[in-house]
């Protein structure tokens, strides 16, 4: 059995701190950490379905639906019928969603959060966190 490690407590503290900071800073543009993440991902995959976006974000569809509803209400995203399949909608980022202030805010925040950390350390940390996520997923399947 591995020795006791503070990494999970540290990870939870980082997530709480990041969420609070992001939400406080993004309030003026009408986003939260969750909706900002969905919008940022959607901007790279404009026109995908809600199901595809949920898979990309690795979250449950009902959770994403609330986020998309908030983005639609805020004028960041539109649902548009897909050509050839009237039952499905594609998610399209609006002009407001592509606003440079929002994009700049996200890029600036990511840069500030990672400032001063060696790229090799970030790569190693990402590998460790990916392994933790896979272990959790494996536990959930059993």
């Amino acid at each position: 059995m591995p020795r006791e490690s503070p990494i999970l407590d540290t990870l939870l503290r980082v997530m709480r701190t990041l969420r609070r900071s992001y939400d406080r800073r993004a309030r003026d543009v009408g986003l939260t950490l969750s909706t900002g993440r969905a919008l940022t991902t959607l901007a790279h995959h404009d026109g995908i379905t809600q199901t595809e976006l949920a898979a990309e974000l690795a979250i449950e569809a009902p959770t994403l639906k609330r986020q998309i509803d908030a983005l639609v209400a805020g004028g960041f995203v539109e649902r548009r019928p897909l050509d050839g399949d009237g039952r499905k909608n594609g998610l399209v980022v609006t002009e407001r969603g592509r606003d440079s202030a929002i994009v700049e805010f996200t890029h600036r925040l990511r840069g500030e959060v990672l400032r001063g950390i060696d790229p090799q350390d970030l790569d190693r940390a990402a590998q460790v966190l990916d392994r933790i996520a896979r272990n959790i997923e494996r536990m959930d399947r059993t």
Side-chain angles (χ1 to χ4, degrees):
M1 176 170 223
R3 66 179 173 79
E4 189 70 21
S5 171
I7 192 164
L8 294 179
D9 291 332
T10 302
L11 181 59
L12 292 171
R13 182 173 53 85
V14 165
M15 288 307 303
R16 280 192 307 271
T17 305
L18 178 61
R19 179 175 295 279
R20 272 195 311 265
S21 178
Y22 188 100
D23 289 350
R24 185 175 59 250
R25 294 171 185 227
R27 191 174 302 129
D28 293 339
V29 293
L31 296 174
T32 64
L33 180 61
S34 298
T35 57
R37 183 171 174 247
L39 181 61
T40 300
T41 303
L42 185 55
H44 292 99
H45 303 285
D46 211 18
I48 65 174
T49 67
Q50 203 163 299
T51 301
E52 293 166 332
L53 183 58
E56 183 72 27
L57 293 170
I59 61 175
E60 297 293 323
T63 301
L64 179 63
K65 182 186 182 315
R66 289 187 295 275
Q67 293 171 11
I68 296 302
D69 288 347
L71 289 170
V72 168
F76 296 102
V77 171
E78 292 178 351
R79 289 180 173 103
R80 294 186 185 161
L82 290 177
D83 291 336
D85 190 346
R87 299 169 295 159
K88 292 184 180 179
N89 288 314
L91 301 171
V92 178
V93 178
T94 65
E95 187 175 324
R96 179 167 190 219
R98 292 193 187 285
D99 183 285
S100 61
I102 294 168
V103 173
E104 173 60 28
F105 165 77
T106 301
H107 288 274
R108 188 176 66 248
L109 182 71
R110 286 177 182 228
E112 289 173 13
V113 166
L114 302 176
R115 180 177 291 139
I117 303 173
D118 185 283
Q120 289 179 329
D121 290 341
L122 290 173
D123 288 344
R124 182 66 181 141
Q127 291 171 6
V128 169
L129 294 172
D130 283 341
R131 179 58 190 256
I132 290 170
R134 286 192 309 272
N135 288 345
I136 294 167
E137 289 166 353
R138 182 180 39 80
M139 287 180 348
D140 287 347
R141 286 193 301 266
T142 59

